Amino acid sequence: MSDGRRGRDETVDSVLTALADPTRRRLLEILAARGEATATTLAEPLPVSRQAVVKHLAVLDAAGLVSGGRVGREVRYAVRPEALDVTARWMSALAADWDRRLATIKRLAEAAEAAEAAETDERSASSD
């Protein structure tokens, strides 16, 4: 496997793992809507503590989905879309591959059905 593909696969794996948690998905949604926010601000609408939010943000940061930057005494977090874009492209390619496979199965099934119908018609015509 090439280094580029291995890197992409690791990115996709870490993004999907990070997004498996509903609290992390909600944090990402809030950050996307607000642009940037502190852990304290992010914890306000959630049923978890600020410390839990910081831990969730660390997972999102490790997956490349958010970044934190110090502004004075605060750490402000913002969405980083690159890892999500890589994952979306991977999912799109996977979906296209499955669409091709399903189209092939459909064509084969329709061809088999048409052949069976033609064979049935031949038998009917020869018995008349």
Side-chain angles (χ1 to χ4, degrees):
M1 183 184 319
S2 72
D3 286 343
R5 181 171 173 166
R6 185 179 0 263
R8 185 207 61 201
D9 289 350
E10 289 171 2
T11 298
V12 169
D13 290 349
S14 63
V15 166
L16 293 177
T17 299
L19 294 178
D21 183 271
T23 301
R24 288 193 286 268
R25 289 193 304 270
R26 183 71 183 122
L27 283 170
L28 203 57
E29 288 172 2
I30 293 167
L31 275 174
R34 291 187 180 187
E36 66 175 34
T38 64
T40 302
T41 303
L42 291 167
E44 289 171 2
L46 298 172
V48 296
S49 68
R50 181 194 172 284
Q51 291 78 10
V53 166
V54 169
K55 289 180 181 181
H56 284 298
L57 288 167
V59 173
L60 292 170
D61 189 16
L65 293 169
V66 302
S67 61
R70 193 165 279 287
V71 178
R73 293 181 355 176
E74 295 180 329
V75 177
R76 296 191 158 275
Y77 294 89
V79 173
R80 292 175 50 204
E82 297 83 15
L84 199 52
D85 290 344
V86 168
T87 304
R89 284 193 303 273
W90 173 80
M91 292 176 82
S92 179
L94 182 65
D97 190 36
W98 275 105
D99 286 345
R100 281 190 297 278
R101 290 176 183 184
L102 291 172
T104 299
I105 290 169
K106 181 180 178 189
R107 272 195 315 277
L108 291 171
E110 288 172 346
E113 188 177 320
E116 187 176 317
E119 190 176 302
T120 301
D121 288 347
E122 283 180 20
R123 278 194 228 132
S124 294
S126 65
S127 65
D128 286 343

